């Protein structure tokens, strides 16, 4: 029985999880960097724990600090939200090893699917290793990324190296992992997703399709 949940995230996603927890009568714990000291998610949670520092790499991406915060606050479960450490199998294992409940996919599933390069290999889709004029335009994309971070569209070969460097730097800052890959960029394509939900008993639901084509800077608007 879960009685207290720490959300290893910030902003809207943390607030949404806290709202659901309140409806279920579950105590909530927020974590925050110094820069987010007075952010909304810290004010709506039942308790807030400081992660010393301002940059994500020193705070929200420090799984060891998040686990310590959960134990110190007396939480018995950790919800990663999305982004940050949500697709980090080592973080999921650290939560479980600390005797806490991990609200998310098992580490093995995260390991298989968290890296977009590994996921594509499992599906038989190999990223481009060499780019020629005939391949353009291409998309440089962060392997551990999401939310439009670590992505660059390349339309000229002489722009490729700078795009790789920029995407690596942004991916390292946002996800703690600078691995990137290159794939063909589909102009004017539709972005259609199928949401999958599964439980620990082997039941899997497909929650229908959604058209995410309306985007700004590779982030979904609707």
């Amino acid at each position: 029985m879960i009685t207290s949940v720490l959300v290893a995230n910030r902003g809207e996603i943390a607030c949404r999880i806290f709202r659901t927890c309140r409806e279920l009568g579950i105590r909530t714990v927020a974590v925050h960097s110094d820069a987010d000291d007075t952010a909304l998610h810290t004010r709506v949670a039942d308790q807030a724990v400081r992660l010393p520092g301002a940059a994500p790499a020193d705070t929200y991406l420090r799984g060891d600090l998040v686990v310590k915060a959960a134990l110190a606050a007396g939480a018995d479960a950790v919800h990663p939200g999305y982004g940050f450490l949500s697709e980090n199998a080592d973080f999921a294992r650290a939560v479980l090893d600390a005797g806490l409940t991990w609200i998310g996919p098992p580490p093995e599933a995260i390991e298989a699917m968290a890296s977009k390069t590994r996921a594509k290999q499992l599906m038989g889709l190999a990223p481009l290793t060499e780019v020629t004029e005939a391949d353009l335009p291409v998309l440089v994309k962060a392997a551990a990324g999401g939310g439009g971070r670590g992505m660059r569209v390349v339309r000229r070969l002489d722009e490729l190296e700078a795009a790789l460097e920029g995407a690596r730097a942004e991916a390292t800052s946002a996800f703690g992992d600078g691995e990137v890959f290159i794939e063909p960029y589909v102009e004017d394509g539709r972005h259609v997703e199928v949401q999958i939900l599964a439980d620990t008993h082997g039941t899997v639901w497909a929650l229908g399709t959604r058209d995410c084509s309306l985007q700004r800077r590779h982030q979904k608007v609707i």
Side-chain angles (χ1 to χ4, degrees), residues 97-165:
D97 289 344
L100 301 167
T101 298
W102 167 252
I103 303 176
E108 296 76 20
I110 296 175
E111 212 153 42
M113 300 304 293
S115 167
K116 291 178 173 61
T117 51
R118 288 194 293 273
K120 287 176 180 294
Q121 288 166 358
L122 287 172
M123 294 184 287
L125 301 172
L128 296 173
T129 54
E130 294 184 14
V131 179
T132 66
E133 287 283 353
D135 297 316
L136 298 174
V138 296
L139 182 66
V140 177
K141 200 167 184 178
R149 306 298 298 276
M151 297 174 66
R152 302 286 191 280
V153 177
V154 178
R155 303 182 185 280
R156 293 170 32 188
L157 284 181
D158 59 3
E159 298 173 345
L160 180 59
E161 194 57 41
L164 286 167
E165 291 179 7

Side-chain angles (χ1 to χ4, degrees), residues 78-81 85-89 91-93 96 102-114 196-200:
V78 172
H79 192 308
L85 295 168
S86 63
E87 298 181 16
N88 187 308
F91 176 57
R93 289 194 184 94
L96 294 169
W102 167 252
I103 303 176
E108 296 76 20
I110 296 175
E111 212 153 42
M113 300 304 293
I196 301 296
L197 180 68
D199 64 19
T200 57

Side-chain angles (χ1 to χ4, degrees), residues 6-23 28-31 38-46 79-82:
L6 179 143
V7 176
N9 220 293
R10 64 181 177 186
E12 181 212 5
I13 181 58
C15 292
R16 288 169 58 188
I17 297 167
F18 292 154
R19 183 171 65 243
T20 300
C21 287
R22 279 198 304 274
E23 293 172 356
T28 56
V29 181
V31 288
T38 59
L40 180 61
H41 77 283
T42 69
R43 292 183 274 124
V44 299
D46 294 313
H79 192 308
Y82 55 73

